[in-house]
C-alpha cells in the first residue's frame, strides 16, 4: 500500500523482486512462476523458475531459473558455515550446469578490481583453480578427475575502454567453452543481504545489473553458449536505507493513531513517493551506493567461498566441501 | 526540537557537534567558544576555538582549536580543486604547528591498511616524503629547506595485538619529536561530508573516535609532545541515513498538516527516539558503518591531498600547492 | 674468439644480438642491415633496420625496425632523466606508428601481474590514459586532441588457462584497432641493461621471447593489424653472470701470460663451451633468471615512464614530456 | 686455496661461514664450536653452537646457537613438504624458546614491504595469528591453549625515517614481552639456498645483516629480552655468481693441465682476488643483489610456512604441522 518506492529501487535479486510483489499483495499468484525451497543447517535455498512472459514482466526478470542461497550467519561466520555455503553452492551449480566429463568451462570475473565492493568477480578468478592450459593436448583419461577450466577478469569499461561483453565474446569465440560462468557483485535493496546471499541464474547478466552498471549483457543468446551468473550483493542504494526508515516510521505513526494509512497516502501519493524520496535526499545521495566499512574482509571471505564451491562443482575429482583446499 | 537522536549519533567533527546545537536552538550562545571563517574559491574554512569547560561539555569535545576545511567539490574534483585543498591544508597546518627551522615532526598514520575506509592514515604515510634518516647527523645548513620528518603506520589492535597508543608512545620516547601529526579516517553523521571535509585539531585523538574505535587516546598529555590530529570522514553510521530520512519525512508531514510537531513528539517522545530508531532498525544495522562504493578511489585521492599538503607544510623549501610533486 | 657461449644465451634485444656478432668479428658486414644512431643528453638511440633474410638469420630476429633507447642513468635517475626518456619514447613511437587523427590504438600489457619482474606490461596498462569508451559515439571534432585508446592486460597462460594471443586476437577482432602496442618485460644478457634500455620493434612479439616465455606470437600477420612491441629488460639468465665472469677471467689469464687464447680454446673448445658452462652450473641454475632486489621500485618507475611516453605519443593534445601528468 | 674471495662475500648464514672454513682446510678444528645434525624425510637440520670467542672470530658470528633447516625441495614443493618444514620449524623454535605457559611473545617482521625480496618479515606478520589483545585482561585458565602473541612490521629506515631498532625497542619497553622473535630475509652466497634454507639463531640480528643492511642490531643485550632470529635467504650478491664461475673455471684449467693452481694463485694472488673480482665486474654490479624472477611466489610460500610453524610453536593448543590452518 504505502511503499511503492520499493518498486523503483533497484535490486539484482529475483527473490527480492518477488518479495516486493508479495508485500503489496500477499495473496497474489504470479502466473508462470514456480518456487521451491530447501534448507540446510545454516542456509535456505529458494529456487524460482520463471516460465513465461507474464511472470517475467511482473518480476522484472527474464525467464529462467533463479536460485538464492541465503545464509544470514555467513558474514564472517567462521570456517564451518563458509564450508557449508560452499558445499550448497557446489550442489546447485552442479545441478544447474549438468556438465559432461569433457566439458570446458570459462569463468568470467566481472567487475573492477580497483573498487573493493565491485572486486568480487576478479577475486574469485584469482583464487580459482585454472586447468585448461594443462589439458589442451591431453586425452580425457589423463585428466585425473579434472575438467578444463579457463578464467578471466576482463575489467570494466572505465579501465579498458572496451565493453566487457566484447572481451568476453571475443574470448568465447576463440576457446569455445561448453559453459560460461560469470561472477559479479550485485546491488540489493536490503542491507542484511550484503555478503549473506548468493544468487545463481541461468538467464545471464543483463544491462544495468551488477555494481558496475553494465551497458551490454551476457546471455546465452549473445554468447552462443549457456551461461550461469553467480552474484552476491555487496552494495545497497543509499536511498533504500532511507526508504526502509520511512516505512518503519509510517507503521509507527499508524499504530500510534497519529495518522491513518489513508491520510499518509493522501499526503504522499503512491505514484510520486519515489520521486519525493529522491527530492528529499540531498544531491549527494542521488545515485549513491553504500557498502559496510568491513567490505574488504567480506569480499575476501566470499571470494574464497565461491572459488572453493566452483572448484568442487567443476572438477569431479574434488569432493564437495573441500574445494577451498585447492584455492590458488 | 524533534531530532534528539542526532545527539546520540556519533560524530568525530566539532563542526557537526556545533551544528547540532544550533539546529536545536539557533539563537543559543555557547560560552567559551569562538568561531572564525574564511573562504577560498572552492573551500570554506571554519576555525572553532573551545576555551573552557562549559563549551567543551556542550560540544562534547575537549578544549582546543578545531579547523574544518569544507570542499564540497573535492570528491573526485580534479587536480585544480585538489591542489587548492592541499594548499589550504598547508596554510592551516603551518599556522597551527608554528614549527622552528630545526623541528622534527613525527607523522602517525592511524587505521587499518587492510580495511579501505580505515586506511587513510597508512596511505598518507606511504605517500609522504620522509627525511629524518637523511638528516640525523647533518647540520641544519646542509638540510636544504627541509625539516626532519619521520612517519609510521602503527596498525590497529586487531592486527598487532598492541594498542596503537603504546606503539606511538614507545617511538615518541625514543625519537623525541617536536610535534606529532596523527592522520585518521573519521565517522561523520552526514553522507555529504565523506571525502569532502578535512578537520585539524590540536586537542589530540580521543578514545572511541575514528573509524577503528580507539580504546586509548593520543594527546599532548599522554605523549608529552604537541599533537595535531588530521581527520577526514570516510564512513557514516547506517542509522544516520535512517535518521535523516525520518527527519525529512517529519517535516513533510508537518507541512502537509497531517500531524503537528507536537503530536509527533508526543507519540515519539524526544528522550527515547534514539532508542526507538535503534529498535526499528534490523539487528544487522546495529553498529554498522557504511561507506560509498567508490571508497577506494576516494581514499587514494585524499591521501595524496593530505600527503602533498603536509609535504609543503613541513618543509619550508616546498612551496604551498606543489607538495604533490614530492609524493613517494 | 673465446665466447661463443653468448650465442646460446638468450637475448630479446636486437642491439645485443648485433653486438655479439661484432664482438666475434668487428670488421664484418651484416648484409641487409642498416644502423642509425642519435643522442640526447642522457640517451643514445640506435635504429637497426633488418631488410632481408640473411641479416635476419644472422641476428636471429625477424625483418623489421628495432629502435633501442639506452639511458644508463635511468635506473632511479630522478624526474629529469625519466622525463627525457619518456620524451624520446614519445618521439620514436610517434614516428614508427604514423597514426591518423582518428586512429584507435589498443595497448596490450603482456606479463604476469603476480610476478614483479614480469609485471611491467600490466603496470603500464594500469597507468595509461584510456579513452576509447568516451569517444565511441563522439565525432572527431569533439575529441579535443585525444585519440581513441583501449588497453588490456590479458594475463598469462598459467593464470587464465588461455593463450595470451587468443585473448588479444579475440579482442582485436571485435574492436578493430588501427594499431596494437604490446608492452612486455624482456630478458637481456647484460645486467647493466636492466631497467636502462627500452626497445621498440615493429616486427611483433615472437614465441619464447619476454620474461614469461610466450608459446605463440603476436605479429601483424597473426593479428591483421600493425603492431609495435615495446620491451624493457628486467631479468637476465643466471648463467650470463657466470659467462661474463668467465670471459673477464680468460682475458686476465691471457694478459698475465698464464695461458694463451689458443691454449684456453684448445682446452675448452668453442663448440662446447656453452654446454660446459651449463654443466658447471648447479642444477638449480639451469633455466633460472634473476633480477635485482630493487625490482619493485624499478618496475614502478619504468611503467610510469612508458605510460607517460605513450600518453603523449598517442594523443596529439598532450605535449611530449608531459604525458606523466595524465597517468591514472 | 684459490677462493679467498668467498671470505669477503657476505653471508648471513653461520652454516655457510663454516663451509667456507672447511673448504679452505677440511681437516681443521674450530675451537669452541659444536655441530649436531638430524634429518627428516625432506629436511636436514644442523645445529651449530659457538661457545667462545675464537670460534666466534673464525666464523665471523657472535656466540650462540645457530640452527639451519635445509629443504632443497621446499622451493615450490607442494603442501606436504611445506608442512614438513613448518613442523620442523615448530620443533626447533619450541626447543630454543622454552616458553612458560603464560609467556608473551613479540614477533617482529623486519624488512621493506615495498620490496618483494625483503618483504618476508612483514608477510609473516600479516599471516600470523595475533592474540595479545584478546588476553590482556583474561586469566590464564581462559586462554584455551593459546599464548599471548603480538606482532609488528616496523618498516625500514627509508620508509619511516626511524631506525628499526628504535621502534622495536620502544615497543618492547612498553609491552614487556618474554621473548622477541625477529623474522628477516637474508643474503646468502649460494643461489641454491634461496628459499630452501631457514636459519634460527639466539644471538640476535646484527648490523649489516639481512637484505636491508641494518645499521643497528637487535640483541638480548640491546633489548633486555631474549631474541630468536629467523631468517631465510632470498637474495645473493651478484658477484657470488661470478665468483662461483671463476672457481669452476679454475678447477677446469687445473684439471686440463693448462695452468697449475700455483700459477693461477701467483697471477691472481689470494689477498687481492676479492678486489680484482670487484674491479672486473662492471660498475653496475657493485653492491648489486639479485633474486630469482619467481620471488613473489617464493616469498608467499615461505611466509606461510614460517607463520604456520610459529603458530604451532607459540600456542600449545595448536598441533605441530597444523599451524597453517590458523593463518590470517
Amino acid at each position: 500500500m504505502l511503499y511503492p518506492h520499493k518498486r523503483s529501487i533497484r535490486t539484482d535479486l529475483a527473490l527480492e523482486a518477488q518479495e516486493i510483489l508479495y508485500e503489496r499483495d500477499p495473496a497474489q499468484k504470479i502466473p508462470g512462476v514456480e518456487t521451491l525451497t530447501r534448507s540446510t543447517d545454516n542456509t535456505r535455498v529458494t529456487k524460482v523458475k520463471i516460465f513465461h512472459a507474464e511472470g517475467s514482466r511482473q518480476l522484472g526478470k527474464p525467464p529462467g531459473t533463479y536460485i538464492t542461497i541465503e545464509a544470514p550467519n555467513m558474514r564472517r561466520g567462521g570456517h564451518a558455515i563458509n564450508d557449508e555455503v560452499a558445499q550448497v553452492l557446489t550442489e546447485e551449480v552442479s545441478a544447474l550446469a549438468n556438465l559432461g566429463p569433457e566439458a570446458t568451462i570459462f569463468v568470467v570475473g566481472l567487475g573492477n578490481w580497483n573498487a573493493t565492493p565491485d572486486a568480487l568477480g576478479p577475486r574469485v578468478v584469482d583464487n580459482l583453480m585454472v586447468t585448461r592450459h594443462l589439458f589442451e593436448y591431453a586425452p580425457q583419461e589423463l585428466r585425473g578427475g579434472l575438467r578444463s577450466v579457463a578464467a578471466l577478469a576482463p575489467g570494466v569499461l572505465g579501465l579498458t575502454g572496451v565493453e566487457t561483453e566484447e572481451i568476453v565474446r571475443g574470448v568465447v569465440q576463440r576457446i569455445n567453452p561448453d559453459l560460461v560462468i560469470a561472477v559479479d557483485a550485485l546491488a540489493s535493496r536490503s542491507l542484511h543481504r550484503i555478503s549473506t546471499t548468493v544468487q545463481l541464474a541461468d538467464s545471464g547478466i543483463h544491462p544495468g545489473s551488477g555494481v558496475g552498471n553494465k551497458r551490454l549483457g551476457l546471455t546465452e543468446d549473445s554468447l552462443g553458449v549457456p551461461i550461469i551468473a553467480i552474484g552476491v550483493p555487496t552494495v545497497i542504494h543509499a536511498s533504500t536505507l532511507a526508504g526502509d526508515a520511512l516505512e518503519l516510521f509510517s507503521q509507527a505513526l499508524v499504530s500510534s493513531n497519529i495518522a491513518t494509512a489513508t491520510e499518509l497516502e493522501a499526503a504522499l501519493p503512491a505514484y510520486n513517493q519515489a520521486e519525493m524520496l529522491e527530492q528529499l535526499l540531498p544531491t549527494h545521495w542521488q545515485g549513491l551506493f553504500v557498502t559496510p566499512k568491513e567490505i574488504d574482509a567480506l569480499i575476501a571471505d566470499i571470494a574464497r567461498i565461491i572459488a572453493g564451491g566452483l572448484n568442487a562443482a567443476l572438477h569431479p575429482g574434488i569432493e564437495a566441501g573441500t574445494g577451498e583446499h585447492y584455492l590458488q
Side-chain angles (χ1 to χ4, degrees), chain A:
Chain A
M1 28 153 270
L2 234 196
Y3 324 116
H5 70 277
K6 284 193 181 170
R7 288 315 315 275
S8 68
I9 289 173
R10 191 179 136 209
T11 175
D12 290 324
L13 296 177
L15 193 64
E16 284 192 343
Q18 201 181 28
E19 284 170 0
I20 294 167
L21 288 183
Y22 284 126
E23 277 171 22
R24 302 185 75 189
D25 178 3
Q28 92 171 105
K29 290 271 180 247
I30 310 171
V33 172
E34 184 184 296
T35 302
L36 288 167
T37 63
R38 71 171 177 112
S39 290
T40 67
D41 285 357
N42 288 287
T43 75
R44 187 178 59 165
V45 181
T46 309
K47 189 180 294 190
V48 178
K49 288 195 188 183
I50 305 178
F51 290 105
H52 67 54
E54 178 55 20
S56 174
R57 195 191 58 75
Q58 286 199 31
L59 288 171
K61 297 281 161 199
T65 299
Y66 297 84
I67 297 161
T68 309
I69 305 168
E70 295 173 282
N73 302 323
M74 182 168 127
R75 176 180 283 177
R76 315 242 62 195
H79 282 299
I81 292 177
N82 289 358
D83 287 353
E84 185 181 331
V85 175
Q87 184 159 349
V88 171
L89 180 67
T90 294
E91 293 160 5
E92 296 297 332
V93 170
S94 299
L96 202 57
N98 194 22
L99 295 164
E102 301 210 24
T104 291
I105 303 97
F106 180 34
V107 179
V108 178
L110 299 172
N112 182 348
W113 48 76
N114 288 335
T116 306
D118 197 21
L120 178 64
R123 296 288 177 84
V124 168
V125 163
D126 274 354
N127 285 335
L128 199 70
M129 194 167 81
V130 167
T131 54
R132 179 176 173 271
H133 54 305
L134 307 173
F135 298 155
E136 216 171 343
Y137 309 108
Q140 172 58 24
E141 62 268 27
L142 296 182
R143 293 184 177 193
L146 302 178
R147 285 199 187 87
S148 170
V149 173
L152 187 72
V156 295
L157 188 59
L159 292 177
T160 62
V162 185
E163 295 283 358
T164 304
E165 191 206 8
E166 294 293 307
I167 298 174
V168 175
R169 288 177 65 182
V171 176
V172 164
Q173 284 175 357
R174 298 204 73 86
I175 72 173
N176 278 317
D178 299 286
L179 174 69
V180 169
I181 296 180
V183 182
D184 201 5
L186 301 181
S188 159
R189 72 176 184 104
S190 300
L191 196 49
H192 76 268
R193 290 209 179 279
I194 288 183
S195 86
T196 65
T197 298
V198 182
Q199 175 176 276
L200 280 67
D202 61 5
S203 60
I205 305 268
H206 294 273
S209 65
V211 170
N213 279 301
K214 284 89 202 162
R215 300 199 305 186
L216 303 174
L218 290 173
T219 62
E220 183 162 354
D221 273 2
S222 70
L223 293 175
V225 175
I227 178 169
I228 295 177
I230 300 180
V232 177
T234 64
V235 302
I236 55 166
H237 196 290
S239 69
T240 63
L241 282 175
D244 285 358
L246 193 149
E247 181 180 333
L248 293 163
F249 190 42
S250 297
Q251 290 169 347
L253 291 176
V254 171
S255 65
S256 308
N257 291 321
I258 291 181
T260 66
T262 316
E263 280 176 324
L264 290 173
E265 190 154 4
L268 306 164
Y271 64 87
N272 68 4
Q273 273 200 48
E275 297 100 84
M276 190 201 69
L277 193 63
E278 286 287 319
Q279 286 163 27
L280 287 177
L281 295 174
T283 313
H284 280 91
W285 285 29
Q286 314 283 337
L288 181 71
F289 287 81
V290 293
T291 193
K293 80 170 162 61
E294 297 82 3
I295 187 65
D296 300 74
L298 295 173
I299 291 284
D301 282 357
I302 313 164
R304 292 179 65 88
I305 291 172
I306 294 183
L310 285 180
N311 276 347
L314 302 183
H315 301 298
I318 300 181
E319 206 180 330
T322 70
E324 202 177 334
H325 302 171
Y326 302 89
L327 297 182
Q328 300 304 294

